[in-house]
Amino acid sequence: MTETRVPTPTLERLATYLRVLLDAREAGVQTLSSRDIERLSGISAAQFRKDLSYFGEFGKPGVGYSTQQLIECIERILRLDREQPMLLVGAGNLGAALVGYPNFRAHRFRIAAVFDNNFVKIGRPFGDLIIEDIARLKEVNAQIGAQIAIIAVPANAAQEVAEQLVDAGIRAILNFAPTSLKVPPWVYVRNVSFLQELAVLSYHLAQEPKHSRDGWTGELPSEPTRPASLAARVKETSDAI
Amino acid sequence: MTETRVPTPTLERLATYLRVLLDAREAGVQTLSSRDIERLSGISAAQFRKDLSYFGEFGKPGVGYSTQQLIECIERILRLDREQPMLLVGAGNLGAALVGYPNFRAHRFRIAAVFDNNFVKIGRPFGDLIIEDIARLKEVNAQIGAQIAIIAVPANAAQEVAEQLVDAGIRAILNFAPTSLKVPPWVYVRNVSFLQELAVLSYHLAQEPKHSRDGWTGELPSEPTRPASLAARVKETSDAI
DNA sequence: TAGATTGTTAATCGATTAACAATC
DNA sequence: TAGATTGTTAATCGATTAACAATC
């Protein structure tokens, strides 16, 4: 692991590689080449190798990468190899979706406590948890020791919440509120904005499609749809995210 | 509007500028300079001017930008100046959060129909809507004419759903399922991955904080917390996102 | 007018892609 | 060994930043 700064896009792609590798392991695949990763992820083989090169050497020339070993390496890099307790602030619809999100557990993320300032909600059950008073944030986190928090409150409350989180020892925040948080330099923030995503989609509707429909055969360039039975698919979708 | 390709980061920032401008208008501010935008958004004045330059000239040298006019221009660029019906697929927790998301309306996004394949859910109310059978997707959208759709189903069902959406005339997809969708070239996809976001946060916990705590006074570099009364704040937070 | 601020150009920075010697 | 595929270097591409003439 050299001391070069790792580009953020590289870190984001690491999570994608991991997903592909986990699928491959599930399917019993022992080894993958960078070309295989390209096919499965849509990210170029060169990009994949360059991304990994920031962290070390993980493959064998002429052979490829051991699925199992690479999974372990990426999990270690991303710190997914240990339990990661998180605080959730905001017991609304979005909070409910996050508490119920099934995929967190597989990556050892766990929402350890949920907070709100609405006295009607405090004390009520919320998934497996009980909604705590936001005023008890620091006190509760003294027990939990979470370093990651999720902000799922309205924009006008988010800055106040962020300051309380920092005071409680949080060092990384996932912010769903549409506002720019001001935090000290040792706290890392990532913003998720549904409106921003939709706005970018919306912009692209205005653009004349550069690619015409002619020539589109319905053939997918690679990785055809998995041959799942209708029954299986029905079962799979039955519980939406 | 020149024919230069607009960088995606520029489009993403446009949504941020708009948010700041709407706040400013709300506060009665008539005019803003690029420096003001920098202070309010955290995005540099040079970046802001460069971003706008892809679309035309909107300011007056020596004066700045008319809040109202710039809002209108950005809304037109992002197509937020008209009603935008959307389809939602997946009536789970996340779908519920999206249907209940209050900020969509302000930007003229509207979830016009929700679909699921779980026959237990079909026909049930979901927010203001009734959950429709996914099999009726094309039929229903023939009425609605939505061009944007949101996928909020599990990963293993997402590709199948995407194909049905494309068949129903959808041209832009916001995908919450952790999988790479294969779609024809005239369909624009954006992915939102909670796990990816958390993984990047998690990585940063491992890094030794380059910025020490020393020298942090709690003073925020700019835009101090709004002076809202406690009562006001309590009211504000009472309904989480 | 003098001061402020724009829009744009040029310089810098950073990320992606292509190519290939090393090596399994 | 011959073929395949890695890790890395150099070339390309694209986005951000800085600087400044134009202009209100």
Side-chain angles (χ1 to χ4, degrees):
Chain A
M1 195 187 290
T2 66
E3 215 38 74
T4 325
R5 192 129 203 76
V6 179
T8 301
T10 292
L11 295 172
E12 293 171 349
R13 285 188 296 264
L14 241 37
T16 302
Y17 303 143
L18 180 58
R19 196 194 70 216
V20 163
L21 287 161
L22 291 169
D23 285 352
R25 183 172 69 179
E26 194 69 20
V29 177
Q30 308 266 333
T31 294
L32 287 166
S33 69
S34 58
R35 198 73 221 321
D36 292 330
I37 299 280
E38 172 169 329
R39 191 172 39 78
L40 294 166
S41 70
I43 299 164
S44 81
Q47 182 77 81
F48 170 74
R49 295 200 303 276
K50 179 71 173 160
D51 283 341
L52 286 189
S53 76
Y54 289 104
F55 305 100
E57 310 191 356
F58 305 98
K60 274 210 211 344
V63 181
Y65 302 82
S66 151
T67 312
Q68 177 61 31
Q69 272 175 33
L70 191 51
I71 286 172
E72 285 169 16
C73 290
I74 295 181
E75 285 184 336
R76 201 158 43 240
I77 292 166
L78 294 177
R79 284 201 148 202
L80 306 176
D81 58 344
R82 65 201 79 184
E83 278 291 318
Q84 201 76 260
M86 303 189 293
L87 306 185
L88 168 64
V89 185
N93 284 324
L94 181 59
L98 292 167
V99 160
Y101 194 64
N103 296 17
F104 284 163
R105 228 195 44 240
H107 294 275
R108 314 253 216 130
F109 290 112
R110 183 174 57 85
I111 295 178
V114 55
F115 299 87
D116 207 297
N117 71 352
N118 183 341
F119 61 86
V120 176
K121 290 182 177 174
I122 294 166
R124 283 219 213 138
F126 198 73
D128 294 339
L129 302 164
I130 300 289
I131 301 171
E132 305 270 1
D133 188 341
I134 181 91
R136 295 187 60 228
L137 191 56
K138 191 172 186 176
E139 181 190 340
V140 171
N141 202 40
Q143 293 300 315
I144 296 170
Q147 298 186 284
I148 296 179
I150 303 176
I151 294 183
V153 305
N156 51 22
Q159 180 59 43
E160 169 84 9
V161 166
E163 287 164 23
Q164 292 176 270
L165 288 170
V166 170
D167 185 49
I170 289 297
R171 283 189 38 218
I173 295 175
L174 186 56
N175 176 36
F176 284 91
T179 192
S180 321
L181 299 179
K182 304 295 188 305
V183 296
W186 64 83
V187 177
Y188 186 79
V189 175
R190 281 181 71 89
N191 298 293
V192 176
S193 168
F194 299 154
L195 281 168
Q196 178 172 287
E197 302 296 333
L198 289 177
V200 176
L201 288 187
S202 178
Y203 170 84
H204 281 90
L205 293 180
Q207 304 317 104
E208 262 319 296
K210 312 137 287 302
H211 309 273
S212 95
R213 274 170 160 81
D214 307 333
W216 173 254
T217 62
E219 272 308 305
L220 296 167
S222 55
E223 201 197 16
T225 313
R226 286 179 214 86
S229 73
L230 180 62
R233 269 187 275 116
V234 168
K235 179 180 156 291
E236 285 167 2
T237 330
S238 66
D239 238 350
I241 298 181
Chain B
M1 198 188 288
T2 67
E3 215 39 71
T4 325
R5 191 126 205 79
V6 179
T8 301
T10 292
L11 295 172
E12 293 172 348
R13 284 188 296 264
L14 241 38
T16 301
Y17 303 143
L18 180 58
R19 196 195 70 216
V20 162
L21 287 160
L22 290 169
D23 285 352
R25 183 172 69 180
E26 194 68 20
V29 178
Q30 309 265 334
T31 293
L32 287 165
S33 68
S34 57
R35 197 74 221 321
D36 292 330
I37 300 279
E38 172 169 328
R39 191 170 40 77
L40 294 166
S41 70
I43 299 165
S44 81
Q47 182 78 79
F48 171 74
R49 295 200 303 275
K50 178 71 172 162
D51 283 340
L52 287 188
S53 75
Y54 288 103
F55 305 100
E57 310 192 356
F58 305 99
K60 274 211 210 345
V63 180
Y65 302 82
S66 151
T67 312
Q68 177 61 30
Q69 273 175 33
L70 191 51
I71 285 172
E72 284 168 16
C73 291
I74 294 180
E75 285 182 337
R76 199 156 47 239
I77 292 166
L78 295 176
R79 285 201 147 200
L80 306 177
D81 58 344
R82 67 202 78 184
E83 277 292 317
Q84 201 75 259
M86 305 188 292
L87 306 185
L88 169 64
V89 185
N93 283 324
L94 180 59
L98 292 167
V99 160
Y101 195 64
N103 297 17
F104 284 162
R105 230 194 43 240
H107 295 275
R108 312 253 216 133
F109 290 112
R110 184 172 56 86
I111 295 179
V114 56
F115 300 88
D116 207 296
N117 71 351
N118 184 341
F119 60 87
V120 176
K121 290 182 178 175
I122 294 166
R124 283 218 213 138
F126 197 74
D128 295 339
L129 302 165
I130 300 288
I131 300 172
E132 304 270 4
D133 189 339
I134 181 89
R136 296 187 60 228
L137 191 56
K138 191 172 185 174
E139 180 190 339
V140 171
N141 202 39
Q143 295 299 317
I144 296 170
Q147 299 187 284
I148 297 179
I150 303 176
I151 295 183
V153 305
N156 51 21
Q159 181 60 43
E160 170 83 10
V161 165
E163 286 164 24
Q164 292 176 271
L165 288 169
V166 170
D167 185 49
I170 289 297
R171 284 189 39 221
I173 295 176
L174 185 57
N175 176 38
F176 284 92
T179 193
S180 321
L181 300 179
K182 304 295 188 306
V183 296
W186 64 83
V187 177
Y188 186 79
V189 176
R190 282 180 70 88
N191 297 294
V192 176
S193 167
F194 298 155
L195 280 168
Q196 178 172 287
E197 301 296 332
L198 289 177
V200 176
L201 288 186
S202 178
Y203 170 84
H204 281 89
L205 294 180
Q207 303 318 103
E208 264 317 298
K210 316 139 282 304
H211 308 273
S212 92
R213 276 170 157 82
D214 306 333
W216 173 255
T217 62
E219 271 310 304
L220 296 167
S222 55
E223 200 196 18
T225 312
R226 286 178 214 88
S229 74
L230 180 63
R233 269 187 275 119
V234 168
K235 177 178 158 293
E236 285 167 3
T237 330
S238 66
D239 238 350
I241 296 181

